[in-house]
């Protein structure tokens, strides 16, 4: 029976840790921009200037 109390205490501690991490991430702006990351793969990469890459290979 004491194992149940121990497991409940441990699970509540872990749950509180995840709740604190979630609140911290929301306050630091992790979920502010939900649109741009989903369409970022549709944009082309910027074109590299061939003159600059030729000068760096020499």
């Amino acid at each position: 029976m004491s194992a149940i109390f121990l497991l409940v205490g441990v699970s509540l501690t872990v749950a509180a840790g995840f709740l604190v991490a979630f609140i911290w991430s929301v306050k630091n702006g992790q979920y502010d921009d939900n649109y741009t990351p989903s369409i970022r793969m549709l944009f082309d990469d910027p074109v590299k200037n061939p003159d600059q890459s030729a000068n760096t290979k020499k």
Side-chain angles (χ1 to χ4, degrees):
M1 188 70 178
S2 64
I4 291 175
F5 293 121
L6 177 68
L7 291 175
V8 168
V10 169
S11 65
L12 288 177
T13 303
V14 170
F18 280 112
L19 179 64
V20 169
F22 176 73
I23 291 170
W24 176 79
S25 66
V26 168
K27 285 188 175 186
N28 285 327
Q30 293 288 321
Y31 301 105
D32 284 349
D33 187 13
N34 292 331
Y35 182 68
T36 302
S38 63
I39 63 167
R40 187 177 301 152
M41 65 180 164
L42 300 176
F43 298 128
D44 290 333
D45 291 335
V47 177
K48 295 180 182 177
N49 190 356
D51 293 335
Q52 290 180 345
S53 63
N55 290 336
T56 57
K57 291 181 180 178
K58 290 181 183 177

Short mmCIF file of all heavy atoms in Angstrom, two decimals:
data_model
loop_
_atom_site.label_atom_id
_atom_site.label_comp_id
_atom_site.label_asym_id
_atom_site.label_seq_id
_atom_site.Cartn_x
_atom_site.Cartn_y
_atom_site.Cartn_z
N MET A 1 0.83 -1.20 0.00
CA MET A 1 0.00 0.00 0.00
C MET A 1 0.86 1.25 0.00
O MET A 1 0.49 2.25 -0.58
CB MET A 1 -0.92 -0.03 1.22
CG MET A 1 -1.95 1.03 1.26
SD MET A 1 -3.17 0.70 -0.03
CE MET A 1 -4.28 2.00 0.22
N SER A 2 2.04 1.16 0.65
CA SER A 2 2.90 2.34 0.68
C SER A 2 3.51 2.62 -0.69
O SER A 2 3.88 3.75 -0.97
CB SER A 2 3.99 2.16 1.73
OG SER A 2 4.84 1.08 1.38
N ALA A 3 3.59 1.57 -1.54
CA ALA A 3 4.11 1.78 -2.89
C ALA A 3 3.18 2.66 -3.70
O ALA A 3 3.64 3.46 -4.53
CB ALA A 3 4.31 0.44 -3.58
N ILE A 4 1.89 2.55 -3.47
CA ILE A 4 0.94 3.39 -4.20
C ILE A 4 1.12 4.86 -3.84
O ILE A 4 1.13 5.73 -4.72
CB ILE A 4 -0.51 2.93 -3.91
CG1 ILE A 4 -0.75 1.57 -4.54
CG2 ILE A 4 -1.52 3.94 -4.41
CD1 ILE A 4 -2.08 0.96 -4.23
N PHE A 5 1.32 5.13 -2.56
CA PHE A 5 1.54 6.52 -2.15
C PHE A 5 2.84 7.06 -2.74
O PHE A 5 2.92 8.22 -3.15
CB PHE A 5 1.55 6.63 -0.62
CG PHE A 5 0.22 6.34 0.00
CD1 PHE A 5 0.08 5.32 0.92
CD2 PHE A 5 -0.90 7.10 -0.35
CE1 PHE A 5 -1.14 5.05 1.49
CE2 PHE A 5 -2.13 6.83 0.22
CZ PHE A 5 -2.26 5.81 1.15
N LEU A 6 3.85 6.21 -2.79
CA LEU A 6 5.13 6.62 -3.39
C LEU A 6 4.95 6.91 -4.88
O LEU A 6 5.43 7.93 -5.39
CB LEU A 6 6.18 5.53 -3.17
CG LEU A 6 7.54 5.80 -3.81
CD1 LEU A 6 8.23 6.96 -3.13
CD2 LEU A 6 8.39 4.56 -3.79
N LEU A 7 4.26 6.04 -5.60
CA LEU A 7 4.05 6.23 -7.04
C LEU A 7 3.17 7.45 -7.32
O LEU A 7 3.40 8.17 -8.30
CB LEU A 7 3.44 4.98 -7.66
CG LEU A 7 4.37 3.76 -7.72
CD1 LEU A 7 3.61 2.56 -8.23
CD2 LEU A 7 5.57 4.06 -8.58
N VAL A 8 2.17 7.69 -6.50
CA VAL A 8 1.33 8.87 -6.69
C VAL A 8 2.16 10.14 -6.47
O VAL A 8 2.06 11.10 -7.23
CB VAL A 8 0.11 8.83 -5.74
CG1 VAL A 8 -0.60 10.17 -5.70
CG2 VAL A 8 -0.85 7.74 -6.17
N GLY A 9 3.01 10.13 -5.46
CA GLY A 9 3.87 11.29 -5.20
C GLY A 9 4.84 11.54 -6.34
O GLY A 9 5.04 12.68 -6.77
N VAL A 10 5.44 10.47 -6.83
CA VAL A 10 6.39 10.61 -7.95
C VAL A 10 5.68 11.09 -9.20
O VAL A 10 6.17 11.98 -9.91
CB VAL A 10 7.13 9.28 -8.20
CG1 VAL A 10 7.91 9.32 -9.50
CG2 VAL A 10 8.04 8.95 -7.04
N SER A 11 4.51 10.55 -9.48
CA SER A 11 3.79 10.96 -10.69
C SER A 11 3.33 12.40 -10.59
O SER A 11 3.34 13.13 -11.59
CB SER A 11 2.61 10.02 -10.95
OG SER A 11 1.67 10.13 -9.90
N LEU A 12 2.91 12.85 -9.43
CA LEU A 12 2.52 14.25 -9.27
C LEU A 12 3.72 15.17 -9.43
O LEU A 12 3.61 16.26 -10.00
CB LEU A 12 1.85 14.46 -7.91
CG LEU A 12 0.45 13.88 -7.77
CD1 LEU A 12 -0.07 14.09 -6.35
CD2 LEU A 12 -0.50 14.51 -8.77
N THR A 13 4.88 14.74 -8.97
CA THR A 13 6.09 15.54 -9.14
C THR A 13 6.47 15.66 -10.60
O THR A 13 6.80 16.74 -11.09
CB THR A 13 7.25 14.92 -8.33
OG1 THR A 13 6.86 14.82 -6.96
CG2 THR A 13 8.51 15.75 -8.45
N VAL A 14 6.41 14.56 -11.33
CA VAL A 14 6.72 14.58 -12.77
C VAL A 14 5.71 15.44 -13.51
O VAL A 14 6.07 16.24 -14.39
CB VAL A 14 6.78 13.15 -13.33
CG1 VAL A 14 6.87 13.16 -14.85
CG2 VAL A 14 7.96 12.40 -12.73
N ALA A 15 4.43 15.32 -13.18
CA ALA A 15 3.40 16.11 -13.83
C ALA A 15 3.59 17.60 -13.55
O ALA A 15 3.43 18.43 -14.45
CB ALA A 15 2.02 15.66 -13.36
N ALA A 16 3.96 17.94 -12.34
CA ALA A 16 4.23 19.34 -12.02
C ALA A 16 5.43 19.86 -12.81
O ALA A 16 5.44 21.00 -13.26
CB ALA A 16 4.45 19.50 -10.52
N GLY A 17 6.43 19.02 -12.99
CA GLY A 17 7.60 19.42 -13.78
C GLY A 17 7.23 19.70 -15.23
O GLY A 17 7.69 20.69 -15.81
N PHE A 18 6.41 18.85 -15.82
CA PHE A 18 5.97 19.09 -17.19
C PHE A 18 5.09 20.34 -17.28
O PHE A 18 5.17 21.08 -18.26
CB PHE A 18 5.22 17.88 -17.75
CG PHE A 18 6.13 16.78 -18.21
CD1 PHE A 18 6.19 15.58 -17.53
CD2 PHE A 18 6.95 16.96 -19.31
CE1 PHE A 18 7.03 14.57 -17.94
CE2 PHE A 18 7.80 15.95 -19.75
CZ PHE A 18 7.84 14.76 -19.06
N LEU A 19 4.27 20.58 -16.29
CA LEU A 19 3.43 21.78 -16.29
C LEU A 19 4.29 23.04 -16.22
O LEU A 19 4.07 24.00 -16.96
CB LEU A 19 2.44 21.74 -15.13
CG LEU A 19 1.52 22.96 -15.02
CD1 LEU A 19 0.61 23.02 -16.24
CD2 LEU A 19 0.71 22.89 -13.75
N VAL A 20 5.31 23.03 -15.38
CA VAL A 20 6.22 24.18 -15.28
C VAL A 20 6.98 24.37 -16.60
O VAL A 20 7.12 25.51 -17.07
CB VAL A 20 7.19 23.99 -14.09
CG1 VAL A 20 8.30 25.02 -14.13
CG2 VAL A 20 6.43 24.06 -12.78
N ALA A 21 7.41 23.29 -17.22
CA ALA A 21 8.11 23.40 -18.51
C ALA A 21 7.20 23.95 -19.59
O ALA A 21 7.62 24.77 -20.42
CB ALA A 21 8.67 22.04 -18.92
N PHE A 22 5.94 23.54 -19.60
CA PHE A 22 4.99 24.04 -20.59
C PHE A 22 4.73 25.52 -20.38
O PHE A 22 4.73 26.31 -21.33
CB PHE A 22 3.68 23.25 -20.50
CG PHE A 22 2.61 23.76 -21.41
CD1 PHE A 22 2.69 23.56 -22.78
CD2 PHE A 22 1.54 24.46 -20.89
CE1 PHE A 22 1.70 24.04 -23.62
CE2 PHE A 22 0.55 24.95 -21.72
CZ PHE A 22 0.64 24.74 -23.09
N ILE A 23 4.51 25.93 -19.14
CA ILE A 23 4.26 27.35 -18.86
C ILE A 23 5.49 28.18 -19.23
O ILE A 23 5.38 29.26 -19.81
CB ILE A 23 3.85 27.54 -17.39
CG1 ILE A 23 2.46 26.94 -17.16
CG2 ILE A 23 3.87 29.01 -17.00
CD1 ILE A 23 2.05 26.87 -15.71
N TRP A 24 6.67 27.67 -18.94
CA TRP A 24 7.90 28.38 -19.29
C TRP A 24 8.03 28.54 -20.81
O TRP A 24 8.39 29.60 -21.31
CB TRP A 24 9.10 27.62 -18.73
CG TRP A 24 10.40 28.22 -19.11
CD1 TRP A 24 11.00 29.31 -18.55
CD2 TRP A 24 11.27 27.77 -20.16
NE1 TRP A 24 12.18 29.55 -19.20
CE2 TRP A 24 12.37 28.63 -20.18
CE3 TRP A 24 11.20 26.72 -21.06
CZ2 TRP A 24 13.40 28.46 -21.09
CZ3 TRP A 24 12.23 26.57 -21.96
CH2 TRP A 24 13.32 27.43 -21.96
N SER A 25 7.70 27.49 -21.55
CA SER A 25 7.83 27.57 -23.01
C SER A 25 6.79 28.52 -23.61
O SER A 25 7.08 29.22 -24.57
CB SER A 25 7.71 26.18 -23.63
OG SER A 25 6.41 25.67 -23.45
N VAL A 26 5.60 28.57 -23.05
CA VAL A 26 4.58 29.49 -23.56
C VAL A 26 5.00 30.93 -23.28
O VAL A 26 4.87 31.81 -24.14
CB VAL A 26 3.21 29.18 -22.93
CG1 VAL A 26 2.22 30.29 -23.21
CG2 VAL A 26 2.69 27.86 -23.46
N LYS A 27 5.53 31.20 -22.11
CA LYS A 27 5.96 32.56 -21.77
C LYS A 27 7.16 33.01 -22.59
O LYS A 27 7.36 34.19 -22.79
CB LYS A 27 6.28 32.67 -20.28
CG LYS A 27 5.04 32.69 -19.43
CD LYS A 27 5.37 32.99 -17.99
CE LYS A 27 4.07 33.11 -17.22
NZ LYS A 27 4.30 33.54 -15.84
N ASN A 28 7.98 32.08 -23.09
CA ASN A 28 9.15 32.45 -23.88
C ASN A 28 8.87 32.46 -25.38
O ASN A 28 9.79 32.60 -26.17
CB ASN A 28 10.31 31.50 -23.59
CG ASN A 28 10.93 31.80 -22.26
OD1 ASN A 28 10.97 32.95 -21.84
ND2 ASN A 28 11.40 30.77 -21.58
N GLY A 29 7.61 32.30 -25.78
CA GLY A 29 7.24 32.47 -27.18
C GLY A 29 7.43 31.25 -28.05
O GLY A 29 7.54 31.40 -29.27
N GLN A 30 7.46 30.07 -27.51
CA GLN A 30 7.65 28.88 -28.32
C GLN A 30 6.45 28.61 -29.23
O GLN A 30 6.59 27.99 -30.27
CB GLN A 30 7.87 27.65 -27.43
CG GLN A 30 9.16 27.69 -26.68
CD GLN A 30 10.32 27.44 -27.60
OE1 GLN A 30 10.24 26.62 -28.51
NE2 GLN A 30 11.41 28.16 -27.39
N TYR A 31 5.27 29.09 -28.88
CA TYR A 31 4.06 28.80 -29.64
C TYR A 31 3.47 30.05 -30.27
O TYR A 31 2.31 30.06 -30.64
CB TYR A 31 3.02 28.14 -28.73
CG TYR A 31 3.52 26.87 -28.11
CD1 TYR A 31 3.89 26.81 -26.78
CD2 TYR A 31 3.63 25.73 -28.88
CE1 TYR A 31 4.36 25.65 -26.22
CE2 TYR A 31 4.09 24.56 -28.32
CZ TYR A 31 4.45 24.53 -27.00
OH TYR A 31 4.91 23.36 -26.45
N ASP A 32 4.27 31.11 -30.43
CA ASP A 32 3.75 32.35 -30.99
C ASP A 32 3.47 32.22 -32.48
O ASP A 32 2.47 32.71 -32.96
CB ASP A 32 4.72 33.49 -30.76
CG ASP A 32 4.69 33.96 -29.33
OD1 ASP A 32 3.78 33.56 -28.60
OD2 ASP A 32 5.59 34.74 -28.95
N ASP A 33 4.37 31.63 -33.24
CA ASP A 33 4.22 31.54 -34.68
C ASP A 33 3.93 30.10 -35.07
O ASP A 33 4.82 29.28 -35.18
CB ASP A 33 5.50 32.02 -35.36
CG ASP A 33 5.33 32.11 -36.86
OD1 ASP A 33 4.19 32.05 -37.34
OD2 ASP A 33 6.35 32.25 -37.55
N ASN A 34 2.67 29.80 -35.31
CA ASN A 34 2.28 28.44 -35.70
C ASN A 34 2.20 28.28 -37.21
O ASN A 34 2.12 27.16 -37.71
CB ASN A 34 0.91 28.10 -35.10
CG ASN A 34 0.97 27.96 -33.62
OD1 ASN A 34 2.00 27.61 -33.07
ND2 ASN A 34 -0.13 28.26 -32.96
N TYR A 35 2.23 29.37 -37.98
CA TYR A 35 2.01 29.29 -39.41
C TYR A 35 3.30 29.17 -40.20
O TYR A 35 3.39 28.32 -41.10
CB TYR A 35 1.24 30.52 -39.87
CG TYR A 35 0.91 30.51 -41.33
CD1 TYR A 35 0.00 29.58 -41.83
CD2 TYR A 35 1.51 31.40 -42.20
CE1 TYR A 35 -0.30 29.56 -43.17
CE2 TYR A 35 1.21 31.38 -43.54
CZ TYR A 35 0.31 30.46 -44.03
OH TYR A 35 0.02 30.43 -45.35
N THR A 36 4.30 29.94 -39.91
CA THR A 36 5.53 29.98 -40.71
C THR A 36 6.29 28.65 -40.76
O THR A 36 6.73 28.25 -41.84
CB THR A 36 6.44 31.11 -40.21
OG1 THR A 36 5.74 32.34 -40.27
CG2 THR A 36 7.68 31.22 -41.06
N PRO A 37 6.49 27.95 -39.67
CA PRO A 37 7.23 26.68 -39.79
C PRO A 37 6.55 25.65 -40.68
O PRO A 37 7.23 24.85 -41.32
CB PRO A 37 7.30 26.18 -38.35
CG PRO A 37 7.16 27.37 -37.52
CD PRO A 37 6.24 28.30 -38.28
N SER A 38 5.24 25.70 -40.80
CA SER A 38 4.57 24.71 -41.63
C SER A 38 4.72 25.00 -43.11
O SER A 38 4.60 24.10 -43.93
CB SER A 38 3.09 24.64 -41.27
OG SER A 38 2.46 25.88 -41.54
N ILE A 39 5.00 26.25 -43.52
CA ILE A 39 5.15 26.57 -44.93
C ILE A 39 6.59 26.87 -45.31
O ILE A 39 6.87 27.16 -46.46
CB ILE A 39 4.24 27.76 -45.32
CG1 ILE A 39 4.65 29.02 -44.58
CG2 ILE A 39 2.80 27.43 -45.10
CD1 ILE A 39 4.02 30.26 -45.13
N ARG A 40 7.51 26.84 -44.36
CA ARG A 40 8.90 27.18 -44.63
C ARG A 40 9.51 26.24 -45.67
O ARG A 40 10.33 26.65 -46.48
CB ARG A 40 9.71 27.12 -43.35
CG ARG A 40 11.13 27.64 -43.52
CD ARG A 40 11.87 27.65 -42.22
NE ARG A 40 11.18 28.49 -41.26
CZ ARG A 40 11.23 28.31 -39.95
NH1 ARG A 40 11.94 27.33 -39.45
NH2 ARG A 40 10.57 29.10 -39.14
N MET A 41 9.11 24.99 -45.71
CA MET A 41 9.68 24.04 -46.66
C MET A 41 9.23 24.32 -48.09
O MET A 41 9.82 23.82 -49.04
CB MET A 41 9.31 22.62 -46.28
CG MET A 41 7.85 22.34 -46.37
SD MET A 41 7.55 20.67 -45.90
CE MET A 41 5.81 20.73 -45.62
N LEU A 42 8.20 25.14 -48.27
CA LEU A 42 7.72 25.45 -49.61
C LEU A 42 8.53 26.55 -50.28
O LEU A 42 8.46 26.71 -51.50
CB LEU A 42 6.25 25.87 -49.55
CG LEU A 42 5.30 24.82 -48.98
CD1 LEU A 42 3.91 25.38 -48.88
CD2 LEU A 42 5.32 23.57 -49.84
N PHE A 43 9.28 27.34 -49.51
CA PHE A 43 10.10 28.41 -50.08
C PHE A 43 11.41 27.84 -50.58
O PHE A 43 11.97 26.90 -50.02
CB PHE A 43 10.37 29.49 -49.04
CG PHE A 43 9.12 30.18 -48.56
CD1 PHE A 43 8.87 30.29 -47.21
CD2 PHE A 43 8.20 30.68 -49.45
CE1 PHE A 43 7.73 30.92 -46.76
CE2 PHE A 43 7.05 31.31 -49.01
CZ PHE A 43 6.81 31.43 -47.66
N ASP A 44 11.92 28.45 -51.68
CA ASP A 44 13.22 28.05 -52.20
C ASP A 44 14.33 28.60 -51.32
O ASP A 44 14.18 29.63 -50.68
CB ASP A 44 13.40 28.60 -53.62
CG ASP A 44 12.49 27.90 -54.60
OD1 ASP A 44 12.12 26.75 -54.34
OD2 ASP A 44 12.14 28.52 -55.63
N ASP A 45 15.44 27.91 -51.34
CA ASP A 45 16.61 28.41 -50.65
C ASP A 45 17.16 29.60 -51.42
O ASP A 45 17.02 29.68 -52.64
CB ASP A 45 17.68 27.33 -50.56
CG ASP A 45 17.26 26.21 -49.65
OD1 ASP A 45 16.44 26.45 -48.75
OD2 ASP A 45 17.78 25.08 -49.83
N PRO A 46 17.81 30.53 -50.76
CA PRO A 46 18.38 31.67 -51.48
C PRO A 46 19.46 31.18 -52.45
O PRO A 46 20.22 30.26 -52.17
CB PRO A 46 18.97 32.54 -50.38
CG PRO A 46 19.04 31.69 -49.18
CD PRO A 46 18.05 30.60 -49.34
N VAL A 47 19.49 31.85 -53.63
CA VAL A 47 20.44 31.46 -54.67
C VAL A 47 21.83 31.96 -54.29
O VAL A 47 22.01 33.12 -53.93
CB VAL A 47 20.00 32.06 -56.03
CG1 VAL A 47 21.02 31.72 -57.10
CG2 VAL A 47 18.63 31.56 -56.39
N LYS A 48 22.80 31.07 -54.37
CA LYS A 48 24.17 31.45 -54.05
C LYS A 48 24.82 32.05 -55.28
O LYS A 48 24.59 31.59 -56.40
CB LYS A 48 24.96 30.23 -53.59
CG LYS A 48 24.45 29.67 -52.30
CD LYS A 48 25.25 28.47 -51.89
CE LYS A 48 24.71 27.88 -50.60
NZ LYS A 48 25.42 26.68 -50.20
N ASN A 49 25.62 33.06 -55.07
CA ASN A 49 26.33 33.72 -56.15
C ASN A 49 27.50 32.83 -56.58
O ASN A 49 28.36 32.51 -55.78
CB ASN A 49 26.84 35.08 -55.67
CG ASN A 49 27.37 35.90 -56.80
OD1 ASN A 49 27.43 35.44 -57.94
ND2 ASN A 49 27.74 37.14 -56.49
N PRO A 50 27.54 32.40 -57.87
CA PRO A 50 28.62 31.49 -58.30
C PRO A 50 29.98 32.15 -58.24
O PRO A 50 30.99 31.46 -58.10
CB PRO A 50 28.24 31.12 -59.73
CG PRO A 50 27.19 32.06 -60.15
CD PRO A 50 26.58 32.66 -58.94
N ASP A 51 30.07 33.48 -58.37
CA ASP A 51 31.37 34.16 -58.31
C ASP A 51 31.98 34.04 -56.92
O ASP A 51 33.18 33.84 -56.76
CB ASP A 51 31.23 35.63 -58.67
CG ASP A 51 30.86 35.80 -60.14
OD1 ASP A 51 31.18 34.89 -60.94
OD2 ASP A 51 30.24 36.83 -60.47
N GLN A 52 31.14 34.12 -55.89
CA GLN A 52 31.65 34.03 -54.53
C GLN A 52 32.11 32.61 -54.22
O GLN A 52 33.12 32.41 -53.56
CB GLN A 52 30.60 34.45 -53.52
CG GLN A 52 30.30 35.92 -53.55
CD GLN A 52 29.23 36.30 -52.54
OE1 GLN A 52 28.53 35.44 -52.02
NE2 GLN A 52 29.12 37.59 -52.28
N SER A 53 31.41 31.62 -54.72
CA SER A 53 31.81 30.25 -54.43
C SER A 53 33.08 29.89 -55.20
O SER A 53 33.90 29.10 -54.72
CB SER A 53 30.69 29.28 -54.77
OG SER A 53 30.40 29.32 -56.16
N ALA A 54 33.29 30.47 -56.42
CA ALA A 54 34.50 30.21 -57.19
C ALA A 54 35.71 30.83 -56.51
O ALA A 54 36.81 30.26 -56.51
CB ALA A 54 34.35 30.74 -58.61
N ASN A 55 35.53 32.02 -55.91
CA ASN A 55 36.65 32.69 -55.24
C ASN A 55 37.04 31.96 -53.95
O ASN A 55 38.21 31.97 -53.57
CB ASN A 55 36.28 34.13 -54.91
CG ASN A 55 36.19 34.97 -56.17
OD1 ASN A 55 36.79 34.64 -57.18
ND2 ASN A 55 35.43 36.06 -56.11
N THR A 56 36.11 31.33 -53.31
CA THR A 56 36.43 30.65 -52.05
C THR A 56 37.12 29.32 -52.30
O THR A 56 37.83 28.83 -51.44
CB THR A 56 35.17 30.42 -51.22
OG1 THR A 56 34.24 29.67 -51.99
CG2 THR A 56 34.55 31.75 -50.80
N LYS A 57 36.93 28.71 -53.51
CA LYS A 57 37.57 27.42 -53.78
C LYS A 57 39.03 27.55 -54.15
O LYS A 57 39.77 26.60 -54.07
CB LYS A 57 36.82 26.72 -54.92
CG LYS A 57 35.44 26.26 -54.54
CD LYS A 57 34.76 25.56 -55.68
CE LYS A 57 33.37 25.09 -55.26
NZ LYS A 57 32.68 24.44 -56.38
N LYS A 58 39.46 28.76 -54.55
CA LYS A 58 40.87 28.93 -54.98
C LYS A 58 41.80 28.91 -53.81
O LYS A 58 41.68 29.19 -52.76
CB LYS A 58 41.04 30.24 -55.75
CG LYS A 58 40.37 30.18 -57.11
CD LYS A 58 40.58 31.46 -57.85
CE LYS A 58 39.86 31.42 -59.18
NZ LYS A 58 39.97 32.68 -59.90
#
